[in-house]
Amino acid sequence: MDWQGQKLAEQLMQILLVGFAVVAFAAAGYALGSFQMMLLIYASGVVITTLITVPNWPFYNRHTLKWLDPREAEKHPKPQIASSSSKKKSNKK
Amino acid sequence: MHSFGYRANALLTFAVMVLAVMCAMASLSDNLNSLSPSAQLQVLNVNWFQKSTQGNDEVSMTLNISANLQSLFTWNTKQVFAFLAAEYETPKNSLNQVSLWDGIIPSKEHAKFSIHTTNKYRFTDQGCNLLGKQYNLTLHWHVMPKNGKMFADKLVMTGFRLPEEYR
């Protein structure tokens, strides 16, 4: 997932879970007066939310990260760490 | 939220927290219930009244217990435990309570009942103080919820008296 996708996944997860909880409490708890139905509705809500937010669906990858072009990366090579002594570190840019 | 495991963990934690909030709200909704239980007790007959081999008084009686505890049940109630206790005073103790009968009421349909029975448990005293004793019959009930705190209440009925002589 990309960054926008992660944010979307987190928001969707919170909204869906709270939404299912409210529906379960109001409909099954208060209107029907059945504790078991409330828990069933909420459990199915958790399963549905898991299916929507946890796997890596394509719509989470719409704003893909733009990695640096390889030529740009060659101009700035990675710093080399001296292997002789562990105390001294030489940085070469 | 960058990996499968991280998202699954976050989702499960949040789901359990929301479940806890729902259960707390269910428990608080019990306070909106208005209670109006009613009961009637009758001692139909004292079957026998003797001194046991240990030297303690013992009574057997036939009781008629009729009660309507339906208003105690909400959607958050698991069961109601009701028991009947005889309460009296002796020179040694200011309050003696002897449980005569108990029952578990599993649902609202069973909460309106009328029972005709001898006492389920022995009405025994510690000593011989029961001749001609005045006692109260108290119906206690404990409401056990599915979520939340159990609460108990009682209904006292006065004016019962044991016979003056052994039978």
Side-chain angles (χ1 to χ4, degrees), chain A residues 1 6 9-10 13-14 17-18 21 24-25 29-30 33-35 38-39 42 46 49-50 53-56, chain B residues 1-5 7-8 10-12 14-19 22-23 25-26 29 32 75-76 146-147:
Chain A
M1 278 192 194
Q6 287 177 30
E10 181 167 355
M13 173 192 91
Q14 288 169 342
L17 277 180
V18 173
F25 192 78
Y30 248 61
S34 166
F35 195 79
M38 176 175 101
L39 289 183
Y42 183 62
V46 169
T49 311
T50 312
T53 57
V54 174
N56 201 359
Chain B
M1 304 297 248
H2 48 75
S3 73
F4 182 88
R7 282 195 296 277
L11 184 143
L12 277 176
F14 192 63
V16 169
M17 272 182 47
V18 169
L19 181 66
M22 271 206 304
C23 290
M25 289 201 330
S29 77
L32 303 171
W75 63 288
N76 188 31
K146 288 178 181 140
N147 297 303

Side-chain angles (χ1 to χ4, degrees), chain B residues 69-85:
Chain B
L69 301 176
Q70 284 183 329
S71 61
L72 298 174
F73 276 86
T74 67
W75 63 288
N76 188 31
T77 305
K78 185 175 189 303
Q79 64 193 16
V80 169
F81 174 68
F83 70 94
L84 183 69

Side-chain angles (χ1 to χ4, degrees), chain B:
Chain B
M1 304 297 248
H2 48 75
S3 73
F4 182 88
Y6 191 30
R7 282 195 296 277
N9 181 28
L11 184 143
L12 277 176
T13 310
F14 192 63
V16 169
M17 272 182 47
V18 169
L19 181 66
V21 167
M22 271 206 304
C23 290
M25 289 201 330
S27 165
L28 287 176
S29 77
D30 267 355
N31 296 338
L32 303 171
N33 192 27
S34 62
L35 306 165
S36 56
S38 65
Q40 266 165 333
L41 301 170
Q42 277 174 303
V43 177
L44 295 172
N45 187 28
V46 174
N47 302 334
W48 46 264
F49 187 174
Q50 274 165 19
K51 229 178 180 171
S52 72
T53 42
Q54 276 85 26
N56 297 324
D57 279 348
E58 199 173 314
V59 187
S60 162
M61 42 187 166
T62 309
L63 304 159
N64 185 1
I65 310 165
S66 62
N68 183 0
L69 301 176
Q70 284 183 329
S71 61
L72 298 174
F73 276 86
T74 67
W75 63 288
N76 188 31
T77 305
K78 185 175 189 303
Q79 64 193 16
V80 169
F81 174 68
F83 70 94
L84 183 69
E87 297 173 352
Y88 58 94
E89 197 181 313
T90 55
K92 199 168 153 205
N93 306 316
S94 65
L95 176 66
N96 297 288
Q97 277 176 318
V98 183
S99 177
L100 300 178
W101 169 86
D102 58 24
I104 292 180
I105 306 169
S107 66
K108 198 167 180 170
E109 290 77 35
H110 297 96
K112 190 169 181 183
F113 60 89
S114 182
I115 291 190
H116 188 116
T117 173
T118 61
N119 47 322
K120 201 169 169 187
Y121 306 109
R122 291 191 216 195
F123 190 167
T124 303
D125 185 33
Q126 292 173 324
C128 345
N129 299 308
L130 287 184
L131 284 173
K133 187 57 107 178
Q134 281 197 322
Y135 61 99
N136 296 338
L137 280 178
T138 311
L139 183 67
H140 297 249
W141 55 79
H142 292 255
V143 178
M144 300 173 182
K146 288 178 181 140
N147 297 303
K149 189 178 186 302
M150 180 177 89
F151 74 90
D153 204 358
K154 63 185 179 189
L155 189 66
V156 185
M157 261 148 290
T158 57
F160 297 92
R161 197 186 169 96
L162 283 170
E164 307 273 355
E165 290 161 348
Y166 290 123
R167 303 191 192 170

